[in-house]
Amino acid sequence: MAMKTAEEHEVGISCFISDLPGFRGILKQRYSDFIVNEVDRDGTVVQLSSLDAPQEEPESFQENGTNTSDNVVSYASQIESFKSLAGDSDAVLLEEFINKINAGGEDGVSPIVLSPDSDKSHRKAMHNFFKENFKFLVTDVVDGPDASSKCIRVRLNSAEPNNKGKNSKKRKERGDKPFDSRGSENWPKNVGKFLRFHLYKENKDTHEALGVIGNMLSVQPKSFGFAGTKDKRAVTTQRVTVYKQRASRLASLNKRLFGIKLGDFCYVKEGLCLGQLLGNRFTITLRGIVADSEDIIKASADALGRHGFINYFGLQRFGSGSLPTHLIGAALLQGEWKLAVDMILDPRDGEKSAIAKARKYYKESSDVVGTLKQLPRYLVAERAVLQTLKTSPGNYLQALKSIPRTLRMLYVHSYQSYLWNHAASKRVQKYGTENVVLGDLVYCKENSTGKVTESVGSEYAEDCSGRYDSNNEDEISGEIHEEIDSVKVVDVEDLNSGYYTIDDVILPMPGSRIKYPTNHIANVYEDLAKKDGISLTESVHNVEDFSITSITGCYRRVFQKPINFEWELLTYSDSNKQLVETDLDKVNKSKPMGTVKQMGAANGKNEEAFDCIRELESSNDVVKVENYSEIAGEEIKLPHDESLSGSSSQDSQIALKLSFTLPASCYATMAIRELLKTSTSVAYHKTLNQ
């Protein structure tokens, strides 16, 4: 049965602050109607201002260039011998592994796991073969899909002197995690090991965009660092870091990237980690405004600025692309590994036919290899799961662990968010939106610091430990301890003093070290989790990544006011007209005309390609055309997006433009919901265009 996108009430979104009537308005009619610019910890709004690499790359790059492909050794004869020892499938896997290394992708080549092997003597022969024929590789043994079998894992040799200086000390520090061969020691010492750049994207989520870039660079997703994921159906700009890559190499990708641009490059010493941002600046245009009077629009906008909104986790948190991520999170917390894998791979409503066909094919055939051939690369979680099942059939836990940590943890965070939303709604329903009540949780004002305030609602705090498979928990534990120790339960003395207001009320994201309110709201968490067969105090398995008792937990404000809030009414007559400039528009305005060829070339190829891409753009889940330049034979500049209605009207219409900043992990769609008093689901807003 195909999965369906969650409705707001199903994930606990059910209340409003104000009793104003609301009005009609279309959210995200065009991608450029929803613009997001990251705000870094210094309060600077991140913008795309240049697509060019620095004019002068460090001189030492010329002397110590990296990723050279000269003198690549062929191992064809060794692989042929290996085929007779291990079989065709493992030989193909090994050949692909070595090709990635030879292609300059050693910075992000993950280990491979060979087919299950219960014969110890045969495994010994395999180990010896690698020692004799592939000195730059090393092997060890990991558990197979069942108790009687083992699998040989192959990775780059961390101690091999000719392997560009990989050092074994780092691997020992990482424990028994797969070794991540991330670069060469000949990187210039005077240059930061991370390239930071601004990622501009249209109608793509962050993981998908980085998957495309990583594929073009031949590096794994773990090579990238970013502070937070951004909306898919939007135009967004954010900071990203990548390990040991040259700016000129990334800048050269711009002419081949579709809906993605890279710019504002600089070299830094540290990579970005999830949560390292102050918030996001939103520029949102609501089209087709219809209200009983202009006064209602003005009153609603003013009320939003004064009182804010209920700080729900928006529908995006739960998989707006028809993936109920909180249900996957529940399966992981229950230890139902196969169920979780099935939910990730099963057919879903509303997907493009090619993807739907691939999912249906796997559901009916269980053919891993055949499904992998059909699934596009940007489906990171699905491909990671299938790649592991390809080498370790039936090992569903290992398949789940193969998903990049920052991505797989979103499933667990989604379930935490599901509980939090329901608790927030119960808090509003039972106690209202005006006063603090006995048993509420608040931050102790006398102990609060800017650091603590900033971390409120930063559900990504624990995720820093997943970057590059390193363990940085000790580096952030002080912030977590400080946040948790600064929380108190409101008592009678607090109520009498009037020291705390409704803006101070917080609720916990469940974890091992958080407090719960001492009023009726605490029961919401326990009752919902119990209904799902989950204990918030005990784990049914020993897998830390998927255990609620292994997550520290954090807190989130129940009510949030928009920062630097501005609004204005606009009039327009063409529904296809873009009303707000994007970062890329501003960059292109500063460049000389004629740098991009126009549509409708004499040979007609451009027009045909444009029509093809425009057709893809018009649906909900867009098929990404990574090599669209091959269709037309030259670069095409596609308009940012097409109107969902696909038509233009000459009648004058009203739009409401909103600009405001929100702290990290707050959802602008929830502010819009408070304004309009309608659902923020994509399906609902599509109906407004019909």
Side-chain angles (χ1 to χ4, degrees):
M1 180 178 175
M3 300 179 189
K4 294 183 179 180
T5 306
E7 297 292 337
E8 287 184 342
H9 67 90
E10 294 173 335
V11 293
I13 304 171
S14 57
C15 299
F16 300 98
I17 289 181
S18 80
D19 56 4
L20 291 169
F23 51 91
R24 181 188 189 273
I26 306 171
L27 177 65
K28 298 187 180 183
Q29 185 175 23
R30 295 171 58 93
Y31 311 148
S32 57
D33 288 344
F34 201 91
I35 299 175
V36 187
N37 291 81
E38 190 169 272
V39 179
D40 67 23
R41 283 186 163 177
D42 295 329
T44 302
V45 178
V46 176
Q47 295 178 307
L48 184 74
S49 60
S50 171
L51 301 178
D52 302 320
Q55 289 188 352
E56 295 183 6
E57 289 267 34
E59 292 182 4
S60 46
F61 271 135
Q62 305 302 324
E63 302 167 8
N64 302 313
T66 61
N67 292 329
T68 57
S69 57
D70 298 337
N71 304 317
V72 171
V73 180
S74 172
Y75 292 93
S77 59
Q78 290 93 327
I79 290 174
E80 194 63 33
S81 300
F82 181 72
K83 185 183 296 184
S84 61
L85 177 65
D88 291 349
S89 61
D90 281 348
V92 171
L93 187 64
L94 178 62
E95 184 176 17
E96 291 175 350
F97 183 62
I98 293 175
N99 287 341
K100 285 182 180 179
I101 298 171
N102 283 341
E106 64 270 27
D107 283 10
V109 175
S110 295
I112 58 173
V113 179
L114 302 179
S115 301
D117 190 347
S118 56
D119 187 341
K120 187 173 181 179
S121 61
H122 183 257
R123 292 200 305 269
K124 182 177 181 180
M126 296 271 280
H127 288 305
N128 289 334
F129 186 87
F130 276 94
K131 287 179 182 179
E132 295 172 6
N133 295 276
F134 302 105
K135 295 185 183 298
F136 61 97
L137 300 176
V138 66
T139 58
D140 59 7
V141 175
V142 296
D143 290 336
D146 53 66
S148 63
S149 67
K150 301 287 183 180
C151 296
I152 291 179
R153 179 174 60 180
V154 185
R155 52 183 168 76
L156 279 164
N157 188 352
S158 60
E160 172 60 36
N162 294 326
N163 190 32
K164 297 191 176 183
K166 305 290 185 301
N167 81 57
S168 57
K169 182 180 178 181
K170 285 185 178 179
R171 179 173 177 266
K172 290 177 181 177
E173 292 172 351
R174 295 166 190 270
D176 194 35
K177 295 179 180 179
F179 184 76
D180 177 18
S181 170
R182 294 181 292 131
S184 62
E185 290 298 321
N186 62 4
W187 185 265
K189 292 183 179 180
N190 63 322
V191 179
K193 293 183 179 181
F194 295 87
L195 174 67
R196 190 177 70 203
F197 60 94
H198 291 176
L199 167 65
Y200 170 97
K201 61 181 182 64
E202 301 173 355
N203 196 42
K204 290 177 175 57
D205 63 41
T206 302
H207 292 287
E208 173 196 334
L210 294 181
V212 172
I213 297 166
N215 182 41
M216 297 172 80
L217 294 173
S218 296
V219 300
Q220 293 287 333
K222 68 179 70 176
S223 296
F224 296 100
F226 52 90
T229 57
K230 306 302 176 196
D231 298 78
K232 175 185 176 181
R233 187 169 175 80
V235 175
T236 73
T237 306
Q238 67 186 109
R239 298 163 302 149
V240 176
T241 55
V242 62
Y243 189 77
K244 288 187 178 179
Q245 292 290 332
R246 293 180 58 175
S248 57
R249 188 178 183 204
L250 268 75
S252 68
L253 302 181
N254 279 322
K255 62 180 179 291
R256 294 191 287 137
L257 287 168
F258 171 67
I260 302 171
K261 294 298 175 188
L262 317 176
D264 302 275
F265 304 97
C266 68
Y267 296 96
V268 294
K269 294 181 180 179
E270 299 290 337
L272 281 168
C273 177
L274 281 170
Q276 292 181 334
L277 76 167
L278 195 62
N280 296 286
R281 182 71 180 171
F282 296 90
T283 305
I284 299 172
T285 307
L286 297 171
R287 294 178 183 251
I289 297 294
V290 177
D292 290 340
S293 71
E294 192 171 302
D295 289 340
I296 290 179
I297 302 172
K298 293 178 179 179
S300 297
D302 287 339
L304 178 61
R306 286 197 313 272
H307 305 299
F309 56 96
I310 302 171
N311 196 21
Y312 289 124
F313 290 95
L315 286 176
Q316 307 97 304
R317 183 68 158 179
F318 306 96
S320 57
S322 186
L323 173 64
T325 50
H326 65 293
L327 298 182
I328 298 177
L332 294 174
L333 294 172
Q334 294 163 355
E336 298 287 349
W337 313 131
K338 184 178 185 304
L339 174 61
V341 166
D342 287 343
M343 295 175 82
I344 291 171
L345 297 176
D346 275 353
R348 306 172 194 161
D349 283 350
E351 286 194 313
K352 273 292 184 178
S353 58
I355 302 173
K357 182 180 177 182
R359 291 188 187 278
K360 182 181 179 183
Y361 175 78
Y362 179 74
K363 183 79 172 176
E364 295 175 350
S365 69
S366 298
D367 179 4
V368 173
V369 176
T371 307
L372 277 169
K373 291 179 180 179
Q374 299 179 52
L375 281 178
R377 291 183 178 274
Y378 62 81
L379 294 179
V380 176
E382 289 86 343
R383 291 188 64 85
V385 165
L386 288 170
Q387 289 285 5
T388 301
L389 293 179
K390 175 182 174 182
T391 55
S392 302
N395 195 338
Y396 298 109
L397 174 57
Q398 192 60 40
L400 292 165
K401 284 185 172 182
S402 70
I403 300 171
R405 186 176 188 274
T406 54
L407 183 54
R408 69 177 184 257
M409 287 303 293
L410 287 179
Y411 300 133
V412 176
H413 289 319
S414 179
Y415 187 75
Q416 290 175 292
S417 305
Y418 164 79
L419 296 181
W420 191 96
N421 277 0
H422 280 281
S425 288
K426 178 61 73 174
R427 170 61 181 76
V428 172
Q429 291 165 2
K430 192 167 186 64
Y431 300 119
T433 62
E434 297 183 1
N435 301 308
V436 179
V437 300
L438 198 66
D440 274 338
L441 291 181
V442 294
Y443 276 106
C444 303
K445 288 186 177 180
E446 60 270 27
N447 295 332
S448 292
T449 66
K451 182 178 181 181
V452 174
T453 302
E454 180 181 320
S455 65
V456 174
S458 179
E459 72 275 19
Y460 293 126
E462 296 90 6
D463 277 350
C464 290
S465 61
R467 192 187 70 192
Y468 306 117
D469 283 337
S470 64
N471 191 338
N472 299 325
E473 288 180 359
D474 291 340
E475 297 175 15
I476 64 168
S477 60
E479 180 175 333
I480 293 173
H481 291 170
E482 183 178 8
E483 182 184 339
I484 290 173
D485 292 342
S486 297
V487 171
K488 67 164 294 181
V489 177
V490 172
D491 55 27
V492 174
E493 184 179 345
D494 295 322
L495 290 180
N496 292 335
S497 70
Y499 196 45
Y500 295 100
T501 70
I502 193 67
D503 294 331
D504 297 315
V505 176
I506 59 176
L507 283 172
M509 293 279 282
S512 62
R513 293 181 45 222
I514 53 91
K515 297 176 183 178
Y516 288 95
T518 57
N519 50 36
H520 293 288
I521 308 308
N523 298 333
V524 177
Y525 293 93
E526 184 178 351
D527 292 346
L528 275 177
K530 186 177 180 180
K531 182 180 177 182
D532 293 328
I534 295 169
S535 170
L536 298 180
T537 56
E538 298 178 4
S539 177
V540 298
H541 54 72
N542 297 317
V543 183
E544 289 191 0
D545 274 1
F546 307 137
S547 172
I548 201 80
T549 57
S550 298
I551 300 172
T552 304
C554 60
Y555 298 90
R556 180 180 180 87
R557 294 193 188 281
V558 177
F559 306 100
Q560 179 65 52
K561 292 180 181 177
I563 303 164
N564 297 326
F565 180 69
E566 300 173 350
W567 64 270
E568 65 175 310
L569 289 172
L570 309 173
T571 58
Y572 65 99
S573 57
D574 185 352
S575 60
N576 289 326
K577 180 181 179 182
Q578 185 173 312
L579 301 178
V580 179
E581 279 190 333
T582 66
D583 285 359
L584 186 59
D585 291 330
K586 296 170 186 176
V587 170
N588 287 336
K589 279 175 66 175
S590 66
K591 288 191 172 186
M593 296 294 289
T595 56
V596 180
K597 295 189 177 182
Q598 300 299 312
M599 299 298 165
N603 59 12
K605 288 179 70 178
N606 277 0
E607 189 65 40
E608 180 181 351
F610 173 71
D611 289 339
C612 171
I613 299 171
R614 179 166 51 194
E615 180 181 348
L616 295 175
E617 285 273 288
S618 64
S619 69
N620 181 22
D621 284 301
V622 177
V623 170
K624 285 73 190 175
V625 185
E626 294 178 22
N627 297 317
Y628 72 97
S629 58
E630 295 179 5
I631 301 173
E634 54 190 277
E635 183 177 1
I636 299 172
K637 184 178 186 302
L638 188 71
H640 293 289
D641 47 282
E642 294 296 315
S643 164
L644 287 176
S645 62
S647 64
S648 66
S649 170
Q650 297 305 313
D651 296 332
S652 179
Q653 299 187 64
I654 299 175
L656 175 61
K657 176 186 173 185
L658 306 163
S659 299
F660 54 88
T661 299
L662 294 178
S665 85
C666 293
Y667 288 75
T669 51
M670 293 299 97
I672 301 304
R673 176 180 176 274
E674 176 69 33
L675 191 70
L676 301 180
K677 301 295 192 298
T678 56
S679 171
T680 58
S681 71
V682 173
Y684 172 76
H685 282 269
K686 283 182 72 175
T687 65
L688 300 182
N689 291 272
Q690 295 172 358

